[in-house]
Amino acid sequence: MVRSERISISAIDAAVARILSLKFEAGLFEHPYITAANVRAVSAPAHVALAREAAQKSIVLLKNDGSLPLNPASSMKLAVIGPNATEALFGGYSGVNANAVGVLAGIRAAVGSNVQVEHADGVWITEPDPNGEHTWGTPLRRPSTADNAVRIAEAVVVAKRSDMIVLVLGDRPEITREAVQFGDPGDRSTLSLFGDQDALVEAMIAIGKPIVALLINGRALAIERLAEQANALLECWYLGQEGGNAVADVLFGKVNPGGKLTVSFPRSVGELPVYYDRHPSTDLNQYVEGKRTTVFSFGHGLSYTKFRISTPRLTRATIAQTDSVDVEVDVTNIGTRVGDEVIQLYIRDDVSSVPRPILELRAFERVPMMPGQSRTVRFRLTPDMLAFWDVDMKWSVEPGSFTISVGNSVEELKTVKLMVI
C-alpha cells in the first residue's frame, strides 16, 4: 500500500510508535517475561466478592406487589421455571467461566431446609451446542414447538404443586448478536420474548400461583403481558459469574435492589421511539391505539423501602451564561429497610433556537440510606451542562428559561425554573 501510494510511510510509523509506546510504558522491554511475582490471580475471593457486588447493584426491581422479598427460613415450595434458570449467561463477546453461578444454583444455596425448590425448563429458547453450552459464537439451533409443548406441560405439573413460581426468561447470545454468523441471522424483527416463551408465560398465568419473573437479557424487551400479570418483576441483565448468587440475595432480602433502567421499555416494537430524550415532534403523528407510552421508563427502579424527595432548590434563580449554579434536593428514607436511591437531575431548555430534547439527563448520584435517614444531595450545574450545538455549530449557552427537574425516574420529577441571562 505504501509502494502504491495508497498510504504514507508516516502513517505506518505512527501506528508502530503507538504500539512501541505501550510496550515501553508496560515495561516489556525491561521485563519481557512473566514471573511468579507479577502473575495476577483469577477468581480470587476479593474478585468474586466484587463480581457479586456489581451484580447486586445492577439488578432493577421493575414491579413488586409486596411478594418480595421472600423469607429464606419460611416453609414454602418454589418452582424455578424457565429457559434461563440454570445456566449463567454472560452475553456476547464473553467467555465461559466454570465457576459461574446460575439462578437455580444461587437460590438453592440461599434457602434453608424449610424451602423446597423444584425446577423445570418450561421451554428452550435455543438448543445447546455439543458441549451443552450456549455461546454467541455457535450456530443457532432452534428447538421444535412440539418439544417445547412437552416441556411446558412438565413445568405446569411442577408449578401446580408449588407455592410460588420463579419464572426466569429473556434472551440468549445466539439470538441477539451482530448481523449474520455461521449462516444464521443475528438481528431480531421484534422486541418480544423469543420462541415459545410467551406460551410458557400464559401457561404459568393460568395456574393462578404468585409469579416472580426474572429477565436475563441485554436489551429492552416488550413484555407488557408479563408486566401486567407478574406479582414481581426483576430486570437482571447479564450479571456475570456471580449472577445467581446476586439474584438470590435480592429475592430473599439480603440485598435491597437499587438499580435503575438506562433504557425505556416499550409496549411493542411498533410504538418506537419511546426513548426519554426525544424531541416533541416525535409525538406529532399518533397511532390509532393512542399516544405511545412505556411499560417502564428511563430511570425507573423500585426498592424494598420508600424514599421521599423534595422539590429542588437553586442557590441562584438567575445566572449569566458563563455561571454555574448548585441544585440541592433533600432525600429521606421513609421506609423500614436500608436501601439505595438514585437521584437524577434533568434539564429542559424551554425555548431554543434549534430543536432540543424534552429532557436531558445531566447528573445522578446513588445514595445509600438507613431507615429514617435524611440527606441533602447537591449537584453543580455548569455552563457546559446547559450548552448545545447552535445553528452556527457553536457549543453555546443560550439565554432564556430552563426547567430543572430532579427525581428518581423521568416519570417522578419535581421542577424549578432557572433563568439564564
Side-chain angles (χ1 to χ4, degrees):
M1 293 177 72
V2 172
R3 284 194 295 268
S4 63
E5 297 184 348
R6 294 169 60 189
I7 189 171
S8 67
I9 190 66
S10 62
I12 300 293
D13 290 342
V16 173
R18 285 193 292 268
I19 295 171
L20 292 178
S21 296
L22 287 174
K23 290 185 175 183
F24 275 117
E25 291 172 9
L28 295 181
F29 289 97
E30 293 81 7
H31 306 285
Y33 303 110
I34 294 295
T35 65
N38 58 19
V39 171
R40 291 185 61 189
V42 176
S43 291
H47 302 159
V48 174
L50 180 60
R52 188 164 180 165
E53 181 184 0
Q56 292 167 348
K57 290 183 179 296
S58 300
I59 295 172
V60 184
L61 180 61
L62 298 177
K63 178 184 178 181
N64 186 23
D65 66 357
S67 297
L68 293 179
L70 305 175
N71 183 353
S74 64
S75 296
M76 73 174 84
K77 295 180 180 179
L78 288 181
V80 181
I81 292 171
N84 287 347
T86 57
E87 189 175 347
L89 297 175
F90 291 82
Y93 299 100
S94 299
V96 177
N97 188 323
N99 298 320
V101 181
V103 171
L104 178 62
I107 289 175
R108 283 178 167 160
V111 299
S113 58
N114 291 332
V115 180
Q116 300 179 37
V117 180
E118 288 191 271
H119 165 253
D121 285 335
V123 299
W124 284 3
I125 300 174
T126 61
E127 292 186 355
D129 63 21
N131 295 321
E133 299 170 345
H134 298 84
T135 57
W136 73 274
T138 57
L140 174 60
R141 297 175 174 85
R142 299 173 184 263
S144 71
T145 299
D147 288 343
N148 272 341
V150 173
R151 295 184 183 101
I152 291 174
E154 294 171 348
V156 168
V157 173
V158 172
K160 282 184 175 180
R161 57 176 178 248
S162 72
D163 299 313
M164 176 173 285
I165 301 167
V166 179
L167 189 56
V168 193
L169 307 166
D171 280 338
R172 289 273 181 173
E174 304 100 304
I175 63 169
T176 51
R177 57 191 179 191
E178 293 179 79
V180 176
Q181 296 182 23
F182 306 101
D184 295 317
D187 295 319
R188 294 285 311 282
S189 60
T190 75
L191 294 176
S192 59
L193 291 168
F194 185 78
D196 298 311
Q197 290 184 90
D198 282 328
L200 175 61
V201 169
E202 293 300 331
M204 295 299 103
I205 292 172
I207 294 171
K209 299 291 180 71
I211 296 174
V212 174
L214 313 177
L215 295 175
I216 311 292
N217 52 293
R219 66 197 175 102
L221 295 171
I223 38 88
E224 184 174 14
R225 174 69 170 164
L226 180 64
E228 288 176 348
Q229 297 297 318
N231 298 82
L233 178 60
L234 290 166
E235 174 54 75
C236 300
W237 312 112
Y238 292 123
L239 292 177
Q241 72 178 61
E242 284 295 300
N245 288 330
V247 167
D249 291 338
V250 169
L251 289 178
F252 295 103
K254 183 178 179 180
V255 169
N256 191 347
K260 301 288 184 177
L261 287 184
T262 55
V263 61
S264 300
F265 275 48
R267 296 188 180 277
S268 72
V269 71
E271 291 200 344
L272 299 178
V274 295
Y275 52 89
Y276 87 95
D277 55 347
R278 64 187 186 276
H279 186 262
S281 62
T282 60
D283 291 327
L284 291 179
N285 296 318
Q286 298 293 319
Y287 291 114
V288 173
E289 289 82 359
K291 183 178 180 181
R292 66 175 67 90
T293 57
T294 59
V295 177
F296 299 108
S297 296
F298 183 90
H300 174 73
L302 304 176
S303 171
Y304 295 153
T305 190
K306 293 184 180 297
F307 298 93
R308 182 174 60 236
I309 304 174
S310 72
T311 300
R313 303 181 299 273
L314 303 176
T315 51
R316 289 186 292 168
T318 302
I319 62 172
Q321 291 168 268
T322 56
D323 287 348
S324 298
V325 62
D326 286 346
V327 184
E328 295 181 346
V329 63
D330 299 326
V331 186
T332 304
N333 183 347
I334 59 175
T336 59
R337 289 176 174 267
V338 175
D340 294 356
E341 183 60 292
V342 180
I343 311 303
Q344 304 160 37
L345 170 69
Y346 298 85
I347 71 162
R348 179 174 184 175
D349 192 348
D350 296 328
V351 179
S352 58
S353 59
V354 299
R356 295 191 67 178
I358 298 171
L359 289 171
E360 298 175 73
L361 180 67
R362 283 294 177 261
F364 61 90
E365 183 175 342
R366 185 165 182 155
V367 183
M369 301 185 69
M370 302 291 291
Q373 182 182 6
S374 294
R375 292 181 58 177
T376 297
V377 178
R378 181 177 294 104
F379 299 103
R380 170 60 59 91
L381 194 59
T382 64
D384 195 58
M385 297 163 71
L386 299 173
F388 67 105
W389 294 105
D390 64 20
V391 69
D392 297 318
M393 290 305 294
K394 294 181 179 179
W395 188 247
S396 63
V397 178
E398 281 189 343
S401 172
F402 287 78
T403 299
I404 311 302
S405 303
V406 179
N408 58 12
S409 80
V410 295
E411 301 293 339
E412 299 288 339
L413 295 174
K414 295 179 180 179
T415 65
V416 67
K417 291 291 185 180
L418 173 67
M419 182 62 64
V420 178
I421 58 175

